[in-house]
Amino acid sequence: QLPLPGSRLCLYEDGTELTESYFRALPPQTELVLLGPGESWRGCASDIERLLAAFCSQQDAVVEAARRLLTDERAPHRQKLLADLIHNLSENILAENKEDDKKWFEGLESRFKNKSSYLRHSCESRMRGYMREVSGFISNVHPAARDAYRGIIDLMADKLKSVKYNGCYFDRREEEEAARLCTAEGWFSCQGPFDKDNCPCKHSINPYSNRESRILFSTWNLDHIIEKKRAVVPELAEAVKTRDGREVNWEYFYQLLFTLDNLKLVHIACHKKTNHNLSCDKTRIYRKRKQTHEIS
């Protein structure tokens, strides 16, 4: 049914086009692909493209086909690939409430009724932990400056409470805020090491998809670009000590400690524990006091 002009015969494995002499030299049982005019075949890469397209358009059919193959498969490596494929495609990403995806909530406290509430709680816990570290540093602050340092801690704590500890970043229902990290469906991408533009391994995860992904996501880090322990908190303590009548710009330090201005979501393998060698912006440590003028 193919017109002879423009048709070609290629090797299945890599797409090499066959000449008559090459065809005669092929061993028996070599798999071939017959291409019509305008068609192309790039070997395994073409099959991968078709498989990826099927993931989006025929996901249920792919899962069912993989299950049928798995029942007769004996090779351990192929068994693992099929099992992983079934696991990753049998996701319940859009389910939000506990009754719609009970397995996702296994091992969690009963008070969590939906996925977003648990992920908000996880983010809030991290932010509270950062706040405890800032508070615990007070023993390193000069005694004469400790009251001022406590005052800044109180201001930061009040601001965190007012924004619910930034838990909205991990709530897919808060699309406007969460869009800075993920899509409304809940995909998160690793933002890479502090000194790179992109994650070299293209790590991504959807903690809403299944229980295993939810657990794995807990190992991802919120990495401070300008380091919290080495730079931000010590600089804050020094600023309070040497303020000499100036007003410490505590909101700048708040941004560095608790917001995406200085936080990157990274896979644990991309979290660089070495010194980032970055420091606070000296021009933003203090700010001018607001002056009040009497009107005569």
Side-chain angles (χ1 to χ4, degrees):
Q1 296 179 6
L2 292 177
L4 186 60
S7 296
R8 305 178 317 285
L9 201 59
C10 298
L11 290 181
Y12 169 81
E13 63 180 353
D14 62 7
T16 300
E17 188 171 338
L18 301 182
T19 61
E20 184 174 351
S21 58
Y22 188 18
F23 174 79
R24 294 180 182 280
L26 292 176
Q29 309 306 319
T30 297
E31 294 183 81
L32 307 176
V33 176
L34 180 60
L35 301 174
E39 294 181 326
S40 63
W41 182 258
R42 297 189 293 124
C44 295
S46 294
D47 263 351
I48 292 173
E49 289 174 353
R50 293 167 64 192
L51 184 60
L52 290 174
F55 286 172
C56 299
S57 60
Q58 303 179 52
Q59 181 170 310
D60 292 342
V62 172
V63 171
E64 183 57 34
R67 283 182 175 142
R68 288 198 301 268
L69 289 171
L70 189 58
T71 58
D72 297 323
E73 185 56 61
R74 294 291 178 265
H77 184 62
R78 287 164 61 98
Q79 285 181 340
K80 177 68 166 58
L81 288 174
L82 286 169
D84 286 348
L85 176 64
I86 293 169
H87 169 75
N88 289 326
L89 289 184
S90 301
E91 297 174 331
N92 202 355
I93 293 174
L94 297 180
E96 171 68 13
N97 298 319
K98 189 172 185 177
E99 57 267 25
D100 298 324
D101 194 356
K102 292 182 179 179
K103 188 174 181 181
W104 192 93
F105 291 85
E106 288 179 4
L108 298 182
E109 297 177 36
S110 59
R111 63 190 173 103
F112 297 114
K113 304 301 181 184
N114 57 64
K115 296 178 181 180
S116 292
S117 67
Y118 172 73
L119 290 170
R120 280 200 314 272
H121 167 76
S122 298
C123 181
E124 290 171 11
S125 297
R126 296 191 191 198
M127 296 299 168
R128 291 176 190 272
Y130 298 160
M131 191 72 247
R132 285 193 294 271
E133 288 184 58
V134 179
S135 301
F137 196 80
I138 196 167
S139 59
N140 299 303
V141 178
H142 191 278
R146 287 178 183 173
D147 286 344
Y149 188 85
R150 287 191 188 95
I152 288 176
I153 291 174
D154 291 341
L155 290 170
M156 289 184 175
D158 288 342
K159 187 172 180 66
L160 271 177
K161 290 176 184 176
S162 71
V163 295
K164 299 179 181 179
Y165 291 87
N166 288 329
C168 61
Y169 291 142
F170 294 87
D171 188 338
R172 57 180 166 183
R173 293 175 301 178
E174 300 281 351
E175 294 183 27
E176 185 176 347
E177 290 289 338
R180 295 183 66 189
L181 274 181
C182 63
T183 68
E185 289 189 349
W187 280 99
F188 293 81
S189 297
C190 174
Q191 295 174 303
F194 71 93
D195 57 347
K196 305 291 184 183
D197 292 331
N198 297 298
C199 166
C201 300
K202 306 298 181 186
H203 294 119
S204 64
I205 193 170
N206 191 327
Y208 298 92
S209 61
N210 52 51
R211 178 173 178 268
E212 289 75 11
S213 294
R214 184 256 295 170
I215 294 172
L216 182 61
F217 187 61
S218 67
T219 67
W220 284 45
N221 296 122
L222 280 171
D223 189 20
H224 286 86
I225 304 169
I226 302 175
E227 295 171 281
K228 175 177 78 274
K229 291 182 178 179
R230 290 191 177 105
V232 181
V233 178
E235 188 70 65
L236 172 61
E238 182 65 19
V240 175
K241 174 187 172 184
T242 60
R243 65 190 188 282
D244 191 25
R246 293 172 290 183
E247 183 179 358
V248 176
N249 186 6
W250 67 269
E251 289 179 319
Y252 168 63
F253 289 99
Y254 174 91
Q255 291 171 350
L256 295 181
L257 290 167
F258 305 111
T259 77
L260 298 181
D261 289 351
N262 191 46
L263 284 169
K264 295 179 74 173
L265 184 65
V266 294
H267 186 281
I268 189 170
C270 294
H271 188 196
K272 301 298 184 182
K273 297 289 188 179
T274 54
N275 196 327
H276 294 189
N277 293 316
L278 297 173
S279 58
C280 301
D281 184 349
K282 299 293 185 182
T283 66
R284 301 185 64 188
I285 291 176
Y286 299 102
R287 62 185 176 192
K288 293 181 179 180
R289 291 184 179 275
K290 294 180 181 179
Q291 297 181 351
T292 57
H293 301 278
E294 293 185 3
I295 301 176
S296 57

